[in-house]
Amino acid sequence: MATASKNTRYTSTKRVKKKAGAPASSLLSSADAKCLVRAITSTPRQPKAKLLEVMDLYKSIPQL
Amino acid sequence: MTPVFVDTLAAALTDSFDRFDCGEPELNDFLKRDALAYATELRMCKLKLLMNKDNGDVIGFYTLSPSKIAVQRLPKNVSRLFFEHHIEFPIPSWLIGKLAVDSRYKDIGLGRALLVDAICNAFDFAIRCGGAVIEVDALNRKVKKNFYERYGFLPLPDCKLKVFMPMNDAQIIFESAKKQLDSRPTGG
């Protein structure tokens, strides 16, 4: 059975191969890290839910 | 107050643009000076108004126009989908260029209602003509953060004032609105 290398770090969206001796902070470029953090921490359904809250008002407004 | 959405041609009949004041001279001036010409003579955009039927006030408005955006500008988790299909050229989008609500009608959800209408129209156009994302040019960082990002738009990594929404997200808004509209009682 394959086992994960102890040098492989798992996140919720990406698997990052750690370079030997590399500090954790250098595993990703700054842009990659931002995307990764956004992918992990963003709650895309929540903001849309806030927009969906206004549907009752929206449906009450006629279109001419 | 009786709000009602009005399309451009009907809007041409109104003279109430001068009363509009959202607190931002740039947007006030656009509506008073250029909006109708943009939407009619120049065919630059669709102009949609939200009006108060009781007194003819323009409560708010937005513009929508076709645009395009370089795939490389999108965040990697989004652009990856296009790169997988070897799409490296600019992709079609719909741009909400301007959206504003009169100061007298703020804080009662009408700005959000305008945004929902803009998203629904953009999605409708995308179904018929194509369009992968909705872009917005936010007026400033405060509007970008407290309005657009709060309601599901995502920042573009290389741009301080532009946000976007993938069309799949717009579809969720569209289908919810359609469901709501379909469930309206039909009266005679």
Side-chain angles (χ1 to χ4, degrees):
Chain A
M1 188 177 74
T3 55
S5 159
K6 66 180 180 181
N7 286 335
T8 303
R9 193 163 62 96
Y10 289 97
T11 70
S12 63
T13 58
K14 279 189 176 180
R15 194 179 73 169
V16 180
K17 190 79 175 176
K18 186 181 177 185
K19 291 174 189 169
S25 59
S26 68
L27 291 174
L28 298 171
S29 70
S30 173
D32 277 344
K34 281 179 185 170
C35 283
L36 186 56
V37 167
R38 191 175 301 129
I40 295 168
T41 60
S42 70
T43 51
R45 295 195 176 279
Q46 199 174 343
K48 283 196 288 290
K50 284 181 181 173
L51 204 51
L52 295 176
E53 283 171 8
V54 83
M55 283 299 171
D56 283 340
L57 172 64
Y58 178 66
K59 76 172 183 177
S60 73
I61 303 175
Q63 303 263 356
L64 290 187
Chain B
M1 179 184 63
T2 312
V4 58
F5 283 111
V6 181
D7 251 328
T8 303
L9 291 178
L13 303 174
T14 183
D15 60 355
S16 58
F17 286 10
D18 286 342
R19 297 202 298 274
F20 183 82
D21 185 5
C22 66
E24 294 291 342
E26 179 190 333
L27 292 170
N28 292 342
D29 290 346
F30 172 77
L31 183 65
K32 292 168 188 174
R33 205 177 47 206
D34 302 321
L36 277 180
Y38 270 46
T40 55
E41 295 164 37
L42 303 174
R43 306 271 181 213
M44 294 277 286
C45 61
K46 176 183 179 66
L47 171 67
K48 191 81 175 274
L49 300 173
L50 181 60
M51 300 193 71
N52 184 352
K53 202 176 171 184
D54 294 341
N55 58 12
D57 278 352
V58 175
I59 295 172
F61 72 94
Y62 68 82
T63 63
L64 195 59
S65 52
S67 184
K68 63 182 178 180
I69 185 168
V71 178
Q72 291 81 356
R73 294 185 64 195
L74 298 170
K76 286 186 179 175
N77 57 339
V78 178
S79 62
R80 190 185 59 216
L81 303 173
F82 294 96
F83 289 141
E84 281 172 5
H85 293 278
H86 314 290
I87 296 169
E88 297 184 2
F89 46 84
I91 56 172
S93 65
W94 289 92
L95 172 69
I96 302 173
K98 302 189 188 304
L99 187 153
V101 174
D102 189 295
S103 303
R104 292 167 295 170
Y105 297 93
K106 278 184 178 167
D107 302 325
I108 49 176
L110 292 170
R112 269 190 288 172
L114 270 171
L115 186 58
V116 167
D117 196 64
I119 291 169
C120 289
N121 266 309
F123 182 75
D124 188 41
F125 294 153
I127 289 173
R128 287 182 278 160
C129 319
V133 301
I134 300 174
E135 293 176 74
V136 179
D137 286 329
L139 185 68
N140 53 46
R141 286 186 181 190
K142 188 179 168 189
V143 171
K144 179 190 171 200
K145 191 82 182 167
N146 297 347
F147 187 70
Y148 293 109
E149 289 188 19
R150 188 177 175 197
Y151 296 128
F153 283 80
L154 302 168
L156 282 175
D158 68 341
C159 192
K160 290 174 183 171
L161 294 180
K162 199 179 267 292
V163 290
F164 80 101
M165 175 181 279
M167 208 52 87
N168 287 347
D169 287 359
Q171 184 171 6
I172 295 170
I173 308 290
F174 177 85
E175 286 176 352
S176 174
K178 188 170 182 297
K179 204 179 296 176
Q180 296 272 11
L181 293 169
D182 287 347
S183 65
R184 277 185 189 177
T186 52

